[in-house]
Amino acid sequence: AAAAAAAAAAAAAAADSDEWGFVQHSDAPAGKGEDPGGAPAEVDSLVSKFMGGRLCSEVTCQHCGFSVKNEQSFFVLSVPLPPRRGRAGGQIQLEECLDLLESEGAVVSWQCERCGRQEAAKHMRVVRRPRWLVVHVMRFGYDAGRRFKRDDEVVVPVEGLRCFRGEGGAGGEGGAGGGGGADGRATYRLHAWCEHLGQEDASGHYTAIARG
Protein backbone atom coordinates (compact mmCIF):
# COMPACT_ATOMS: atom_id res chain seq x y z
CA ALA A 1 0.00 0.00 0.00
CA ALA A 2 2.84 2.34 0.88
CA ALA A 3 4.52 1.55 -2.42
CA ALA A 4 1.36 2.27 -4.38
CA ALA A 5 0.82 5.51 -2.52
CA ALA A 6 4.39 6.61 -3.03
CA ALA A 7 4.22 5.81 -6.70
CA ALA A 8 1.79 8.66 -7.22
CA ALA A 9 2.45 10.67 -4.20
CA ALA A 10 3.91 13.38 -5.95
CA ALA A 11 0.76 13.33 -7.62
CA ALA A 12 -1.78 15.49 -9.28
CA ALA A 13 -1.35 13.81 -12.64
CA ALA A 14 -4.82 14.99 -13.54
CA ALA A 15 -3.90 18.60 -12.88
CA ASP A 16 -2.54 20.48 -15.85
CA SER A 17 -0.58 23.73 -16.00
CA ASP A 18 -2.98 25.21 -18.55
CA GLU A 19 -5.90 24.37 -16.31
CA TRP A 20 -4.28 26.09 -13.35
CA GLY A 21 -3.37 29.01 -15.59
CA PHE A 22 -7.04 29.46 -16.40
CA VAL A 23 -7.93 29.40 -12.72
CA GLN A 24 -5.23 31.93 -11.92
CA HIS A 25 -5.94 34.38 -14.70
CA SER A 26 -9.70 34.04 -15.21
CA ASP A 27 -10.30 37.20 -13.19
CA ALA A 28 -7.24 39.10 -14.38
CA PRO A 29 -7.68 42.44 -16.19
CA ALA A 30 -7.56 42.21 -19.97
CA GLY A 31 -4.03 42.13 -21.31
CA LYS A 32 -2.46 41.27 -17.95
CA GLY A 33 -2.63 37.48 -18.14
CA GLU A 34 0.84 37.09 -19.63
CA ASP A 35 4.19 38.79 -19.39
CA PRO A 36 6.14 39.91 -22.52
CA GLY A 37 7.95 36.57 -22.55
CA GLY A 38 4.74 34.61 -22.92
CA ALA A 39 4.76 33.17 -19.39
CA PRO A 40 1.86 33.79 -17.01
CA ALA A 41 2.26 37.11 -15.24
CA GLU A 42 2.01 37.47 -11.49
CA VAL A 43 -1.65 37.88 -10.61
CA ASP A 44 -2.84 38.34 -7.04
CA SER A 45 -4.85 35.17 -6.46
CA LEU A 46 -4.87 32.31 -3.96
CA VAL A 47 -3.52 29.90 -6.59
CA SER A 48 -0.52 32.07 -7.41
CA LYS A 49 0.06 32.97 -3.76
CA PHE A 50 0.26 29.41 -2.46
CA MET A 51 1.03 27.22 -5.50
CA GLY A 52 2.93 29.50 -7.84
CA GLY A 53 6.60 28.80 -8.44
CA ARG A 54 9.10 29.89 -11.07
CA LEU A 55 11.38 27.68 -13.16
CA CYS A 56 14.47 28.93 -14.99
CA SER A 57 15.94 27.15 -18.00
CA GLU A 58 19.47 28.12 -19.09
CA VAL A 59 21.26 26.83 -22.19
CA THR A 60 25.02 27.45 -22.31
CA CYS A 61 27.33 26.97 -25.29
CA GLN A 62 30.20 24.63 -24.41
CA HIS A 63 32.60 26.47 -26.74
CA CYS A 64 32.18 30.21 -26.19
CA GLY A 65 30.13 30.29 -22.98
CA PHE A 66 27.23 32.25 -24.47
CA SER A 67 24.01 31.47 -22.61
CA VAL A 68 20.28 32.06 -22.96
CA LYS A 69 17.88 32.07 -20.01
CA ASN A 70 14.14 31.62 -19.98
CA GLU A 71 11.89 31.78 -16.93
CA GLN A 72 8.32 30.56 -16.65
CA SER A 73 5.73 30.20 -13.92
CA PHE A 74 4.44 26.81 -12.86
CA PHE A 75 1.71 25.43 -10.63
CA VAL A 76 2.40 21.75 -11.27
CA LEU A 77 6.04 20.67 -11.49
CA SER A 78 6.58 17.70 -13.84
CA VAL A 79 9.66 15.65 -12.96
CA PRO A 80 11.35 12.82 -14.91
CA LEU A 81 12.18 9.35 -13.65
CA PRO A 82 15.83 8.25 -13.60
CA PRO A 83 16.90 5.28 -15.77
CA ARG A 84 15.60 1.89 -14.64
CA ARG A 85 17.84 -0.18 -12.38
CA GLY A 86 17.64 -3.60 -13.95
CA ARG A 87 14.53 -5.44 -15.04
CA ALA A 88 12.78 -5.10 -11.67
CA GLY A 89 13.21 -1.35 -11.58
CA GLY A 90 13.63 -0.97 -7.83
CA GLN A 91 12.76 1.92 -5.56
CA ILE A 92 13.24 5.51 -6.60
CA GLN A 93 13.30 8.37 -4.11
CA LEU A 94 11.31 11.45 -5.08
CA GLU A 95 14.38 13.53 -4.26
CA GLU A 96 16.18 11.74 -7.12
CA CYS A 97 13.51 12.91 -9.56
CA LEU A 98 13.75 16.48 -8.31
CA ASP A 99 17.55 16.41 -8.51
CA LEU A 100 17.34 14.98 -12.02
CA LEU A 101 15.10 17.85 -13.08
CA GLU A 102 17.77 20.34 -11.97
CA SER A 103 20.72 18.35 -13.32
CA GLU A 104 22.69 19.47 -16.35
CA GLY A 105 22.10 17.63 -19.61
CA ALA A 106 23.45 17.79 -23.14
CA VAL A 107 21.50 19.71 -25.77
CA VAL A 108 22.22 18.80 -29.39
CA SER A 109 19.54 20.73 -31.31
CA TRP A 110 20.44 24.21 -30.05
CA GLN A 111 22.68 26.43 -32.18
CA CYS A 112 24.70 29.14 -30.47
CA GLU A 113 23.82 32.65 -31.64
CA ARG A 114 27.40 33.81 -31.11
CA CYS A 115 29.67 31.09 -32.52
CA GLY A 116 27.20 28.92 -34.42
CA ARG A 117 28.27 25.68 -32.72
CA GLN A 118 25.70 23.15 -31.57
CA GLU A 119 27.29 21.67 -28.45
CA ALA A 120 25.51 23.07 -25.43
CA ALA A 121 24.36 22.14 -21.94
CA LYS A 122 20.93 22.82 -20.52
CA HIS A 123 20.36 23.48 -16.84
CA MET A 124 16.98 23.88 -15.18
CA ARG A 125 16.41 25.10 -11.64
CA VAL A 126 13.56 26.29 -9.47
CA VAL A 127 14.37 29.94 -8.76
CA ARG A 128 11.24 30.56 -6.73
CA ARG A 129 9.79 27.63 -4.84
CA PRO A 130 6.05 27.48 -4.20
CA ARG A 131 4.64 27.38 -0.71
CA TRP A 132 2.49 24.38 -1.67
CA LEU A 133 4.31 22.09 -4.08
CA VAL A 134 2.36 19.94 -6.55
CA VAL A 135 4.57 17.38 -8.30
CA HIS A 136 3.66 15.26 -11.32
CA VAL A 137 5.85 12.20 -11.91
CA MET A 138 6.23 11.60 -15.65
CA ARG A 139 5.68 7.86 -16.02
CA PHE A 140 4.67 7.73 -19.68
CA GLY A 141 7.18 7.61 -22.50
CA TYR A 142 7.90 6.15 -25.93
CA ASP A 143 9.93 3.11 -26.87
CA ALA A 144 10.28 2.10 -30.52
CA GLY A 145 7.26 4.25 -31.34
CA ARG A 146 5.08 2.62 -28.69
CA ARG A 147 3.62 4.42 -25.69
CA PHE A 148 4.43 2.81 -22.34
CA LYS A 149 4.05 3.47 -18.63
CA ARG A 150 6.77 2.83 -16.05
CA ASP A 151 5.64 1.17 -12.84
CA ASP A 152 8.68 1.94 -10.71
CA GLU A 153 8.03 2.45 -7.00
CA VAL A 154 8.57 6.12 -6.16
CA VAL A 155 9.11 6.68 -2.44
CA VAL A 156 7.87 9.99 -1.05
CA PRO A 157 8.70 10.99 2.52
CA VAL A 158 5.66 11.93 4.58
CA GLU A 159 7.75 14.44 6.51
CA GLY A 160 10.91 16.25 5.56
CA LEU A 161 11.02 16.36 1.75
CA ARG A 162 13.94 18.75 1.21
CA CYS A 163 14.50 20.38 -2.16
CA PHE A 164 15.19 23.63 -4.01
CA ARG A 165 17.53 26.38 -2.93
CA GLY A 166 15.56 29.08 -4.70
CA GLU A 167 13.73 31.93 -3.04
CA GLY A 168 10.66 31.24 -0.92
CA GLY A 169 7.29 31.45 -2.61
CA ALA A 170 4.99 34.42 -2.46
CA GLY A 171 3.19 34.57 0.82
CA GLY A 172 5.91 33.37 3.18
CA GLU A 173 8.03 30.33 3.90
CA GLY A 174 9.15 28.15 1.05
CA GLY A 175 8.06 24.89 2.63
CA ALA A 176 4.44 23.85 3.02
CA GLY A 177 4.22 24.15 6.75
CA GLY A 178 7.98 24.55 7.17
CA GLY A 179 10.75 26.90 6.18
CA GLY A 180 14.20 26.50 4.70
CA GLY A 181 16.92 24.58 6.47
CA ALA A 182 20.55 25.39 7.16
CA ASP A 183 21.45 24.40 3.61
CA GLY A 184 18.89 26.80 2.15
CA ARG A 185 16.54 24.06 0.99
CA ALA A 186 12.80 24.12 1.61
CA THR A 187 11.08 21.43 3.68
CA TYR A 188 7.73 20.04 2.54
CA ARG A 189 5.23 17.71 4.21
CA LEU A 190 3.09 15.29 2.24
CA HIS A 191 -0.59 16.26 2.39
CA ALA A 192 -2.23 14.43 -0.51
CA TRP A 193 -1.57 12.33 -3.59
CA CYS A 194 -3.38 11.10 -6.69
CA GLU A 195 -2.68 7.74 -8.29
CA HIS A 196 -3.39 6.58 -11.84
CA LEU A 197 -4.37 2.93 -12.20
CA GLY A 198 -3.93 1.45 -15.66
CA GLN A 199 -1.35 1.29 -18.42
CA GLU A 200 -2.80 3.78 -20.92
CA ASP A 201 -2.50 7.54 -20.67
CA ALA A 202 -5.93 8.03 -22.29
CA SER A 203 -7.74 5.64 -19.97
CA GLY A 204 -7.61 4.19 -16.48
CA HIS A 205 -8.84 5.18 -13.06
CA TYR A 206 -7.67 7.82 -10.59
CA THR A 207 -7.76 7.58 -6.83
CA ALA A 208 -6.87 10.35 -4.40
CA ILE A 209 -5.99 10.35 -0.70
CA ALA A 210 -5.53 13.36 1.56
CA ARG A 211 -4.39 13.73 5.15
CA GLY A 212 -6.86 15.16 7.63
Side-chain angles (χ1 to χ4, degrees):
D16 181 87
S17 298
D18 292 337
E19 179 180 345
W20 282 115
F22 172 78
V23 172
Q24 183 197 21
H25 305 301
S26 59
D27 58 352
K32 294 186 178 181
E34 292 188 351
D35 63 21
E42 298 299 331
V43 177
D44 186 14
S45 70
L46 289 178
V47 175
S48 60
K49 178 179 180 180
F50 291 102
M51 301 173 63
R54 200 145 184 93
L55 188 66
C56 176
S57 173
E58 182 175 9
V59 179
T60 304
C61 178
Q62 298 297 282
H63 290 275
C64 69
F66 177 78
S67 64
V68 175
K69 291 183 180 180
N70 179 46
E71 288 192 13
Q72 61 182 19
S73 300
F74 71 86
F75 302 99
V76 178
L77 188 64
S78 296
V79 298
L81 288 170
R84 292 182 68 94
R85 297 162 183 160
R87 296 177 62 86
Q91 288 187 342
I92 296 174
Q93 301 294 324
L94 180 59
E95 290 92 334
E96 296 180 63
C97 302
L98 294 168
D99 289 342
L100 184 59
L101 173 71
E102 294 191 311
S103 65
E104 187 174 279
V107 178
V108 296
S109 60
W110 183 80
Q111 184 172 6
C112 179
E113 299 176 17
R114 177 183 294 172
C115 68
R117 306 292 286 271
Q118 294 187 354
E119 294 182 18
K122 183 178 181 180
H123 180 215
M124 299 183 68
R125 66 185 184 279
V126 174
V127 293
R128 196 190 70 178
R129 59 199 184 217
R131 188 169 183 178
W132 294 350
L133 175 65
V134 180
V135 179
H136 163 228
V137 177
M138 299 187 293
R139 292 185 173 275
F140 288 97
Y142 286 94
D143 183 22
R146 296 175 61 90
R147 189 77 161 160
F148 71 94
K149 177 184 176 181
R150 288 180 55 176
D151 56 0
D152 305 72
E153 178 184 353
V154 179
V155 180
V156 181
V158 176
E159 302 283 348
L161 171 64
R162 301 186 59 76
C163 54
F164 312 141
R165 290 189 173 87
E167 298 177 358
E173 300 286 353
D183 60 355
R185 293 192 172 213
T187 301
Y188 291 91
R189 296 197 303 266
L190 178 64
H191 287 277
W193 64 89
C194 176
E195 180 178 5
H196 174 259
L197 306 176
Q199 295 299 315
E200 300 292 334
D201 58 344
S203 63
H205 183 68
Y206 286 95
T207 60
I209 301 176
R211 300 174 66 184

